[in-house]
Amino acid sequence: MIEAFDDSYFMKKALAEANLAFERDEIPVGAVVVSNQSIIARGHNLTEMLTDVTAHAEMQTITAAANYLGGKFLRDCTMYVTLEPCQMCAGALYWSQLSRLVIAAPDEHRGYRKMGAQLHPKTTVEFGILEAESASLLKEFFKKKR
Amino acid sequence: MIEAFDDSYFMKKALAEANLAFERDEIPVGAVVVSNQSIIARGHNLTEMLTDVTAHAEMQTITAAANYLGGKFLRDCTMYVTLEPCQMCAGALYWSQLSRLVIAAPDEHRGYRKMGAQLHPKTTVEFGILEAESASLLKEFFKKKR
């Protein structure tokens, strides 16, 4: 039986965002922020289009979610992101006090764990939801770029 | 003899930004980005006013400087910032490949060094320019808040 609003459901929405990035020739990473079973923010990497290294999917959705909530903390929110956040995004999530972070694919090179950055102690983390789909999209992107 | 455009000169401009943050009841941190002896971006912490944890002085000036330069890298730029960057801002500076970072006061609790985050290997770092002035402004702010 398929559950309507389980982790796979929301990660598919994040992957749809990553696909939009792919179509715009951006490194395909997408994210959604969920509160009370509803998506309150969605975004994808736009660093090339905006000429801005800070325009990662996570950064945009943190800002958008806080704007929606009218407060800067995401204490009762879950973020679904298709690639492990970098140290910048982990640092932003730290300040947001995000409740739960669900990650599709690990980033062995520039992921926050490898770089040494920290999430907030109150944030729970889960890896591997739709990992193969996310990794495949990234692989296809970098293959196209070579 | 006073040099016209030395590190103290530019850090004073960053401190002026920090003072603007103080006046707006924001944690008083300011930054400027300098390229070819000219200030190409300036900003101060606006996390409360914008209800956005990502609105640190450094993040805003990275975005503004890239916008000015028409490219996302700050390879020939110096950032002057009145407080040691957090891991989010260090992560953004990492991606920007900033050439030089000049910091007034250390942040022993939430600074990027304490948190474990990394700047880009090509970024040179200098601490202590107008440290007392910056630390004093921060101290005054938190005293007012108690």
Side-chain angles (χ1 to χ4, degrees):
Chain A
M1 189 183 143
I2 297 168
E3 288 206 31
F5 298 113
D6 62 1
D7 284 343
S8 289
Y9 173 85
F10 289 118
M11 191 60 87
K12 273 179 194 152
K13 300 295 185 185
L15 264 171
E17 288 292 323
N19 269 298
L20 290 175
F22 186 97
E23 287 167 16
R24 289 175 159 186
D25 212 28
E26 299 272 1
I27 295 176
V29 181
V32 299
V33 175
V34 173
S35 173
N36 292 323
Q37 296 287 78
S38 293
I39 293 175
I40 61 169
R42 63 184 80 216
H44 54 270
N45 178 38
L46 284 173
T47 47
E48 297 304 323
M49 184 173 292
L50 298 179
T51 322
D52 186 348
V53 296
T54 75
H56 284 190
E58 301 95 313
M59 302 300 283
Q60 295 178 67
T61 51
I62 289 167
T63 298
N67 188 48
Y68 175 88
L69 294 170
K72 64 182 180 168
F73 297 115
L74 308 181
R75 286 175 184 141
D76 297 310
C77 297
T78 299
M79 177 182 284
Y80 294 83
V81 61
T82 61
L83 182 66
E84 180 183 345
C86 72
Q87 53 180 355
M88 169 181 72
C89 296
L93 290 168
Y94 177 96
W95 292 123
S96 81
Q97 301 186 22
L98 183 79
S99 177
R100 183 167 176 251
L101 178 62
V102 184
I103 298 164
D107 182 347
E108 308 293 355
H109 299 292
R110 295 287 177 269
Y112 73 94
R113 297 174 304 169
K114 168 78 178 191
M115 298 296 281
Q118 296 171 48
L119 295 170
H120 195 275
K122 287 182 187 160
T123 305
T124 61
V125 189
E126 197 166 338
F127 274 87
I129 306 291
L130 301 187
E131 176 177 342
E133 290 84 342
S134 173
S136 165
L137 185 65
L138 285 156
K139 201 172 165 184
E140 191 183 338
F141 178 81
F142 287 112
K143 194 174 164 187
K144 188 179 71 169
K145 282 289 174 188
R146 273 201 304 265
Chain B
M1 187 183 145
I2 295 168
E3 289 207 29
F5 297 115
D6 62 2
D7 284 343
S8 289
Y9 173 86
F10 289 119
M11 190 61 88
K12 273 179 195 151
K13 300 295 186 185
L15 264 172
E17 287 294 322
N19 270 299
L20 290 175
F22 186 96
E23 286 167 16
R24 290 175 158 185
D25 213 27
E26 301 271 2
I27 295 176
V29 181
V32 299
V33 175
V34 173
S35 174
N36 291 323
Q37 296 287 79
S38 293
I39 293 175
I40 62 168
R42 63 183 81 216
H44 53 270
N45 178 38
L46 283 174
T47 48
E48 297 305 322
M49 184 174 292
L50 298 179
T51 322
D52 187 349
V53 296
T54 75
H56 284 190
E58 301 95 313
M59 302 301 282
Q60 295 177 67
T61 51
I62 290 168
T63 297
N67 188 49
Y68 175 89
L69 293 170
K72 63 182 180 167
F73 297 114
L74 307 180
R75 285 175 184 140
D76 297 310
C77 297
T78 299
M79 177 182 284
Y80 295 83
V81 61
T82 60
L83 182 66
E84 180 183 344
C86 73
Q87 51 179 355
M88 169 180 71
C89 295
L93 290 169
Y94 177 97
W95 292 125
S96 81
Q97 299 185 23
L98 183 79
S99 176
R100 183 167 175 251
L101 178 63
V102 183
I103 299 165
D107 182 348
E108 308 293 355
H109 300 293
R110 296 286 177 271
Y112 74 92
R113 295 173 305 170
K114 168 77 178 191
M115 299 296 281
Q118 296 171 48
L119 295 171
H120 195 276
K122 287 182 188 159
T123 306
T124 60
V125 189
E126 196 166 338
F127 275 87
I129 307 291
L130 301 188
E131 175 176 343
E133 290 84 341
S134 173
S136 164
L137 185 65
L138 284 156
K139 202 173 166 183
E140 190 183 339
F141 178 82
F142 287 112
K143 195 175 163 186
K144 189 180 72 169
K145 282 289 177 191
R146 274 201 302 266

